[in-house]
């Protein structure tokens, strides 16, 4: 960074990235307790933020939480759409993220093969 313009551009980039995590109605929550981090939660969180940014989903909040309590299912990722039940996905990898975002977050269709527990429709 060499100029005030560089600093302003950086500020705007960081502000936009922060907005991805806090503006909107649908929530994506990544379990980032120590067991989640050991299983790859940081990479999943990065993939979620990148996918949300790529699709320009301004109505999606991305959060992290501590241990969700099902360590054997890590990495855990929850999707909460307004007026719908919270769905927990287990053993999520960065490669699973585009499908979860496209199918569930955007189109409202649960990705049953990744969901933890029985899905009642």
């Amino acid at each position: 960074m060499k100029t005030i313009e560089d600093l302003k551009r950086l500020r705007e980039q960081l502000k936009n990235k922060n907005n991805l995590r806090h503006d909107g109605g649908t929530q994506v929550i990544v379990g980032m307790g120590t067991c989640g981090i050991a299983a790859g939660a940081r990479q999943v969180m990065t993939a979620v933020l990148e996918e949300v940014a790529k699709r320009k989903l301004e109505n999606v909040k991305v959060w992290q939480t501590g241990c969700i309590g099902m360590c054997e299912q890590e990495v855990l990722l929850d999707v909460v759409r307004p007026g719908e039940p919270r769905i927990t996905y287990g053993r999520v990898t960065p490669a699973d993220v585009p499908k979860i975002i496209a199918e569930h977050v955007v189109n409202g269709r649960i990705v049953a093969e990744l969901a933890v527990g029985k899905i009642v429709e």
Side-chain angles (χ1 to χ4, degrees), residues 44-86:
V44 169
M45 174 64 90
T46 299
V48 168
L49 290 170
E50 288 173 355
E51 191 69 20
V52 168
K54 180 174 89 173
R55 293 174 171 274
K56 297 179 172 85
L57 300 176
E58 296 177 7
N59 63 335
V60 176
K61 293 179 187 176
V62 180
W63 303 96
Q64 70 181 39
T65 189
C67 183
I68 295 174
M70 296 183 284
C71 299
E72 73 282 354
Q73 295 288 327
E74 291 291 354
V75 171
L76 292 162
L77 181 148
D78 290 357
V79 174
V80 185
R81 289 173 40 100
E84 297 179 10
R86 180 178 186 147

